[in-house]
Amino acid sequence: VQLQASGGGLVQAGDSLRLSCAASGHNVVGWFYQSPGKVREFIAAINVNSGSPVYTDSVKGRFTIARDNAKSTVYLQMNSLKPEDTGIYYCAARGNRITVIARSPSQYAYWGQGTLVTVSS
């Protein structure tokens, strides 16, 4: 049930990054981010069986969540990055039998260790 997030780094504003989350055995996988001094926020989630995604409004049109079931991996493609996107990005999964996407971090039972994204201006 362990999740592993990777792909963070230091980029300039306007650049792109793709984050990866190894998430074997989970039906719903989400991405959250946390900037210094702030609470963890929902970015996007996907039902890995149907492929249906949900996004927070602030990333619509810039970020895309997708899954590769053959690799048991969920990706977050982030384009047109802004300095305010800077933070630690976490992937998380709901319980193994849950298929409904949720936005609240409290609804996710399993968490990866986080990967740092820094966007310079």
Side-chain angles (χ1 to χ4, degrees), residues 31-120:
W31 284 97
F32 297 79
Y33 98 112
Q34 189 167 18
S35 53
K38 295 189 177 181
V39 299
R40 198 166 295 185
E41 298 180 23
F42 173 80
I43 299 173
I46 190 167
N47 179 309
V48 299
N49 297 311
S50 68
S52 298
V54 173
Y55 298 95
T56 192
D57 287 346
S58 63
V59 305
K60 286 181 180 177
R62 294 194 300 130
F63 292 7
T64 302
I65 190 169
R67 91 290 194 205
D68 183 334
N69 289 342
K71 297 181 179 180
S72 298
T73 300
V74 172
Y75 301 99
L76 185 68
Q77 177 67 43
M78 305 188 295
N79 299 328
S80 302
L81 282 162
K82 305 175 182 180
E84 52 263 43
D85 294 321
T86 293
I88 300 175
Y89 284 69
Y90 299 90
C91 65
R94 303 201 69 191
N96 290 349
R97 297 185 178 183
I98 297 176
T99 59
V100 176
I101 290 175
R103 295 172 180 261
S104 172
S106 66
Q107 297 297 311
Y108 288 75
Y110 307 102
W111 291 83
Q113 84 287 4
T115 185
L116 177 62
V117 172
T118 304
V119 185
S120 63

